[in-house]
Each structure stands twice: as C-alpha cells, then as structure tokens.
Amino acid sequence: MTWAGLQITLLTGLATGLFLTLIAIGLSIVFGLQGVINFAHGTFYMLGAYSLVMLQSHVPYVGIAIVATIIIGGIGILFYGIFLINLKGRPHLDYLLTTFGAALIITEIVRWFAGSAPQFAQAPEFLSGVVQLGAIVFPRFYLVMIVVCAILMAIGWYVFQRTLLGARVRATVEDGEMAEAVGINALILNLSIFAAGAAVAGLAGVLAGPVFTIYPDMDLDIIVLVFAVVIFGGLGSLVGTLIGGIVIGMIQAFGTVLFNSTVAQIGVFILMAVTVIIRPQGLLGKRHF
Amino acid sequence: MATWLRNDEVRDLGILGLGFIGAACFVEILGLLGIDRSYTYHIAARIAIMALFGIAFNIAFGYCGILSFGHALLYGGGGYIVGILSVKMGVNNMLVTLPMAAIGGAALGAMLGLVTMRNVGMAVVLITFAVAHSVWLILQINPLGLTNGEGGLSGIGRHMSWSGGGANLWTTERSYYWLCAGIILGTCIALRLCVASRIGLAMRAVRDEPTRADTIGLNVKAVRALAFAISGAAAGIAGGLGAMLSGVVTPEDAHWLLSGDVLLFAVLGGAATFLGPALGACVVVLAEIYLGEITRSWPLLLGLIYVVVIRFAPGGVVGAYEDWRRGRKRDSKRLDTIRDDRVQR
C-alpha cells in the first residue's frame, strides 16, 4: 500500500467510523438509560435515507436534512409510545424481540410506499466532486461527513457533560432508581433521549443517502454493524462508542482495500465476538450482563 | 431410574405422533378435493422439520436457559454437511449423511458452548450472533470451493441404500414425509428422555439457580456446553432433513433471520413446554406460506406477531393456555431469558 493509498484509506475509515458512531450513539445511550436493545434503530437511519429519495427533487439538501431530522425525531416519540412504553420492567429479550418485530413492520410499510428496488440519491452540487488534499484527491462528500459528524459529536459531548439535561442522563445511567427518587422524570427523559437518538440516526441516513445504495432492508444490514460498534465500545458510554466506531470503520476500510468487503465484515464480527467473550461490558461500558 | 416413561412424556410424544398422522390425513383429504398432494406433503414435511428445529432450540433455551442467537449456524451446518457429502463427495446414503449432520451439529453446538463458556444472558446472544454471522459471511466467499458461495449447493439426493442401486423409495414427497416423521419422532423420543433424565434435571438446575447448582457440585459450564451440543445434534438433523427436502442448501439456511425465526417459534409456542416450539413452528410456517400468499407482505404480519405475542402473551400460546386453565395471572416470577419459571418434569 502506497503512502497516498494509506492516507485515503485512513480518511475513508475515519469517515465510515464517525458515520457509524453517529448512528450508534442513540442506541448506546438509550441502552444505558433504560436497558432497551433497540433493533429498530437502523430503521430511523433507513427513514432518513428514504426521505432524501422522496424529497430530493422538491427541497434542497440542507432543507431535507433539517426536516427529516425533526420528523424522524417525532417518529421516534411515536415508536416509543406504541412499542416500548408498555414493556417497562421486562427482560432485555422482550425489548429485543419487540423492536425486531417493529423494524420488520416499518420496513414493510416503507416498501409499500417506495418499492423494493434499490434507489440512488444525488449529492447536492456544492458537495459533490473531489478535493485536492496535499498529494491525494478525496471525495468532498466524505470530508463533509467527517466534519458534520465531528460537529454533532462535539455538541453531543457538550450536552452530555455540561448541561442539566446531560447531568440527568448521566445520573439515570448510573443509578436509575436513585435518579427517580431525587425527582428526575424518567419518562420524559427517556422519551426525549430516544427521540434525539432517532433524529440523529435519521440525519445519518440523509448523510448516507448520496454515498450508499438505498433499499428497504438497509436497516437490518446497518444495525448489525452498529451493534458491533456499541458492543465493542461499551453500551451506554459516549467515548466508548466513538472509539468503537472508529476502530470498526478502520477495519472496514482496510479490510476492503486489502482483501474485500466480506473479509472486512468477518473481521468486524470476530472482533465483536472476542470482545464480548473477554470483556462483556465492552471497552468502556458498565457491566450490564 | 424408576419408570422410564412417565405420563407426560407419553402424552407429549403421543401428541407429536398423532400430529404427524393428523397432518397426513388432512393432506389426503385435501388431495381428494383436488389439491396437489406432493405440494402439500412438501409443506407438511417442512413444518415437521421446522418443528424439530424449534424443539431442538428449546433444549438449550427453555430447559437450560441459554439464549442463542446463532442456532441457524447449527441448522445450516447440518444442511451443508449433507450437501457437501452428497454433491461434492458423492455420498448420497442418508444412513451416513444424517448421522454426520447430527455429529457436525453437535460439534458446532459444543463449539458455541465453549466460546460462550464464560458468559451469561445477553452476552451469549451477542457472541452466538457474531460467530454465526461470521460463518455466514465465510459461506459467501466460498473457501476451499466446498460451499459454492451465494448460490449454495443444489441437487442433493434422498437415497438410503448401501449399493447405490435399486429402487429409490424416498423420491416422492409422501414417502419422504413419512420418513421425516419417523426420524423426527425418533429424535424427539431421545430428546424427551434426555430432558427427563438426570442430565435434563441438571440443565434445569443450571437454568434456575446457577450458583446453587455450582455449589452442589454440578459443573455449570459443562452442563451448558452439553445442552448446546444436544440441541445442536437435533438441529443438525433438522438441517440435513431440510436440505434433502428441498434438494438445495444456501447460505440463507444459516442466516441470522432464521435464528430469529426459531426464537419466535419458542416464544410464540411457549418455551416452558416440550412441544410449545413445535406448535409455534406450525403457526409461523403455515402463516408464512398461506397468509404470505394472500397479503404479499408477510414481514409485516411476522412483525405484528412478534409485537403482539411479547406484549400480551409472554409465556407463548401454550403458556397462555395453561395460565387460563389454572386461572393464574401472568405476572409469575420470571428469569431474564426464560418465559416462565414453571418447572416441568
């Protein structure tokens, strides 16, 4: 591998990793808060990508991004109210199965409206093309992805560590019963964090639209990778999720360049298995199981 | 060992046998009404095979409290063993290939058991999923040229003779259905005796009170690995029978969606009983074939089944029926991975 090739692969890995982190963060925090293993989290990502397909001829890209984020946040609230609110106190398995069923239902509804055929979305004019970075050329859109993900991550970190909402979330992750005892409204907190996670995953879908093929089962394909990210980094940990995302993004990028994408995925899942065997809580997570 | 068959064992196996006979009668009646018998027998055989897979899964899940999300690996492993022996090596005799599938399934199950030895609960779900998904990906890239990649192996025969010649009795769907019924009933007798024996007692002890089981001298890890291996052997047989039924085995036979299906069989039917998963398999496979034809959106119905069953009948159909019969409320004490704490003999 040449020096330029190495640089390109590193940047691709970083873009993939930050992008996976963006989807994974909602999943991770929601698990930390209430023990919900949300199989349908990839569905919000898929909805984001499809909103790009549906709206791209009518609305400018940035507009779609804003609208989709808000709408998918609302869908997240609905989702929580319909599927999860009644399962309070049930074992993890019940959440896993219910959200899996919910993912199948939503995917099928999307299939009714948009059809099964793979679709493609265009990157907007000002984001397409390539950039000259020293000796290498790199797609402009990947750079935008890196920047947007980094900004969102910084906002997430600020909210988490420096605001009252973040303090409440951290308290609930640490000890849910105690947090409720001191007057934190668990329902409103859970609902808002769930909606925020869904909205961010939807935004990731809008970002991914121009890069990947869009098809109804894309949620199941991404969710297994996202699971690998949060399992490796540690469920409920923000920094762990970031590390997990970047490590897995790098494995994807280098595995694809050196071998092929299937070998890269095998590497990801073997890493996931080894992580859980040796350290079930993940790199930086708290022990949940 | 006082009596080797107690009442409830006779009852379970009797229901299973009557189920096979009843299904065959139903198929014949449909045949008299002009519906193609070979197609309906094919479906009946598929249901029977999925029922065996469900029962096999429940040996680990319901009886030993191991929630595996990689059981499709064991089913697909059995199928691929039969397929490779038949297509690549020319060994068509099912007296050889089926036992090999059982051994292979047991070995794969024991491997999953060893890999998950140090973990419990959701960690086991994640590890088994990751291992099975890796194997599924490896099947796609076709190492050693044995598995033919995405297309899978086709042209798997159903023979049962040492010489290779002579009339082949098992090519018709009706005869193959009865063969499947016999093999499945035999396997279920073995499994039923197994869960009623001291091994089964040890499994339930490990499920309900792992710490106490350890204290009284049971080797908890070994019991878990054994449950995995027994479950894997039966799942391997189911996979082998399935491969011979359709004549093809593809990577989809080892995909994690199948692991999800078999979990649904157990949850829908009721994991606290021996036959619950078989009932769940009947309902799901029939619904998939017939409702799927009517509505053309089977995944939507499947999703609804998941959501509704977990919400309203977490003990499954059989569990809900027994609750109703005993007039008990649903909120009995439950373990993390188990639907119900009803210990069953």
Side-chain angles (χ1 to χ4, degrees):
Chain A
M1 190 183 272
T2 59
W3 173 230
L6 184 67
Q7 281 176 307
I8 291 179
T9 316
L10 276 173
L11 274 177
T12 315
L14 187 64
T16 319
L18 287 174
F19 164 70
L20 284 174
T21 313
L22 201 56
I23 308 175
I25 263 178
L27 188 71
S28 180
I29 303 301
V30 166
F31 181 88
L33 270 179
Q34 38 188 330
V36 174
I37 300 185
N38 185 8
F39 221 107
H41 199 70
T43 309
F44 301 126
Y45 159 79
M46 176 193 66
L47 289 174
Y50 267 99
S51 58
L52 183 61
V53 171
M54 301 278 192
L55 298 175
Q56 63 178 348
S57 50
H58 313 293
V59 188
Y61 185 81
V62 179
I64 299 176
I66 294 167
V67 171
T69 308
I70 294 168
I71 291 177
I72 293 169
I75 293 176
I77 293 179
L78 268 180
F79 183 95
Y80 193 89
I82 294 171
F83 295 112
L84 296 178
I85 217 160
N86 292 319
L87 293 181
K88 200 170 184 323
R90 297 276 199 94
H92 292 323
L93 174 64
D94 288 8
Y95 284 112
L96 191 70
L97 291 173
T98 301
T99 51
F100 178 59
L104 290 177
I105 293 172
I106 297 174
T107 305
E108 201 56 30
I109 292 172
V110 168
R111 209 189 291 269
W112 281 347
F113 285 106
S116 303
Q119 308 201 36
F120 302 92
Q122 296 286 315
E125 282 290 308
F126 65 100
L127 293 180
S128 51
V130 290
V131 192
Q132 188 80 31
L133 282 178
I136 60 167
V137 260
F138 198 69
R140 189 187 300 257
F141 199 79
Y142 273 59
L143 279 184
V144 173
M145 254 163 89
I146 293 176
V147 172
V148 172
C149 292
I151 292 172
L152 284 170
M153 232 71 87
I155 294 174
W157 181 86
Y158 179 81
V159 172
F160 218 62
Q161 300 292 339
R162 293 279 185 274
T163 64
L164 190 59
L165 177 70
R168 286 183 180 145
V169 173
R170 279 180 288 133
T172 311
V173 170
E174 201 64 43
D175 188 338
E177 281 180 23
M178 195 62 202
E180 266 190 271
V182 297
I184 293 173
N185 187 332
L187 180 66
I188 290 176
L189 188 72
N190 289 344
L191 208 55
S192 47
I193 293 298
F194 193 89
V200 172
L203 182 59
V206 179
L207 272 178
V211 185
F212 302 119
T213 317
I214 299 165
Y215 53 98
D217 281 331
M218 68 195 286
D219 58 331
L220 295 184
D221 289 342
I222 198 83
I223 195 73
V224 292
L225 272 179
V226 171
F227 269 129
V229 169
V230 291
I231 297 306
F232 178 76
L235 280 158
S237 158
L238 208 67
V239 180
T241 308
L242 179 62
I243 297 173
I246 289 173
V247 167
I248 283 172
M250 289 297 170
I251 294 179
Q252 285 266 45
F254 279 91
T256 310
V257 169
L258 295 175
F259 307 98
N260 59 46
S261 62
T262 315
V263 174
Q265 289 218 22
I266 293 172
V268 170
F269 289 105
I270 289 176
L271 176 74
M272 172 177 164
V274 171
T275 309
V276 190
I277 292 166
I278 298 173
R279 204 177 151 78
Q281 69 271 44
L283 211 56
L284 297 177
K286 209 171 65 161
R287 185 138 202 163
H288 293 285
F289 38 75
Chain B
M1 180 151 48
T3 52
W4 70 285
L5 271 183
R6 279 183 292 266
N7 283 338
D8 47 353
E9 283 148 43
V10 176
R11 186 199 63 188
D12 279 357
L13 296 169
I15 292 173
L16 196 63
L18 285 176
F20 285 131
I21 296 169
C25 292
F26 189 61
V27 170
E28 290 295 336
I29 291 169
L30 287 180
L32 290 176
L33 297 174
I35 293 165
D36 182 19
R37 277 197 190 86
S38 75
Y39 177 61
T40 37
Y41 267 120
H42 188 93
I43 290 171
R46 163 129 326 258
I47 292 171
I49 289 165
M50 282 297 141
L52 175 62
F53 185 33
I55 291 173
F57 170 78
N58 203 40
I59 298 297
F61 176 59
Y63 284 92
C64 201
I66 305 165
L67 177 47
S68 151
F69 208 69
H71 253 63
L73 170 64
L74 311 177
Y75 179 87
Y80 265 100
I81 286 171
V82 169
I84 290 169
L85 283 173
S86 169
V87 175
K88 296 281 174 177
M89 301 181 179
V91 183
N92 271 317
N93 190 344
M94 65 176 84
L95 293 173
V96 177
T97 55
L98 271 184
M100 290 297 285
I103 294 169
L108 286 170
M111 181 200 79
L112 283 184
L114 291 178
V115 169
T116 56
M117 200 165 68
R118 299 177 56 216
N119 307 96
V120 288
M122 284 313 287
V124 175
V125 178
L126 298 167
I127 297 168
T128 48
F129 164 74
V131 171
H133 198 63
S134 305
V135 174
W136 179 77
L137 288 163
I138 291 171
L139 287 174
Q140 308 272 337
I141 53 176
N142 189 20
L144 311 174
L146 278 175
T147 61
N148 285 11
E150 277 182 46
L153 298 159
S154 57
I156 301 164
R158 308 168 186 162
H159 300 279
M160 198 197 272
S161 69
W162 293 106
S163 57
N168 189 352
L169 280 173
W170 313 111
T171 47
T172 68
E173 303 300 310
R174 181 196 275 166
S175 62
Y176 189 68
Y177 169 76
W178 284 113
L179 181 74
C180 281
I183 293 171
I184 289 168
L185 195 60
T187 314
C188 285
I189 291 173
L191 291 177
R192 193 69 185 83
L193 290 176
C194 195
V195 296
S197 71
R198 293 173 64 177
I199 298 171
L201 214 55
M203 285 185 204
R204 292 196 294 275
V206 166
R207 173 192 74 186
D208 293 335
E209 293 280 354
T211 317
R212 206 173 293 174
D214 191 39
T215 316
I216 60 170
L218 280 172
N219 187 340
V220 172
K221 289 172 184 173
V223 171
R224 285 213 177 103
L226 186 65
F228 246 125
I230 294 169
S231 172
I237 292 175
L241 287 173
M244 283 190 284
L245 176 69
S246 54
V248 293
V249 54
T250 62
E252 296 315 299
D253 288 322
H255 193 260
W256 62 266
L257 283 172
L258 185 63
S259 304
D261 281 349
V262 76
L263 180 57
L264 178 65
F265 298 163
V267 170
L268 175 62
T273 55
F274 185 75
L275 284 181
L279 183 67
C282 286
V283 173
V284 174
V285 177
L286 277 177
E288 179 169 13
I289 292 170
Y290 291 105
L291 291 181
E293 263 177 22
I294 297 167
T295 64
R296 301 174 57 79
S297 39
W298 162 242
L300 185 81
L301 285 169
L302 186 67
L304 280 176
I305 295 176
Y306 270 102
V307 172
V308 171
V309 167
I310 296 294
R311 173 72 185 86
F312 296 105
V317 176
V318 177
Y321 166 71
E322 288 187 355
D323 282 346
W324 170 77
R325 209 178 54 177
R326 296 178 193 182
R328 246 170 50 167
K329 297 294 284 180
R330 265 207 311 276
D331 52 18
S332 50
K333 188 188 100 191
R334 291 199 308 164
L335 293 157
D336 189 37
T337 58
I338 296 301
R339 303 281 101 209
D340 206 325
D341 67 336
R342 247 175 266 129
V343 174
Q344 181 209 355
R345 295 187 53 89

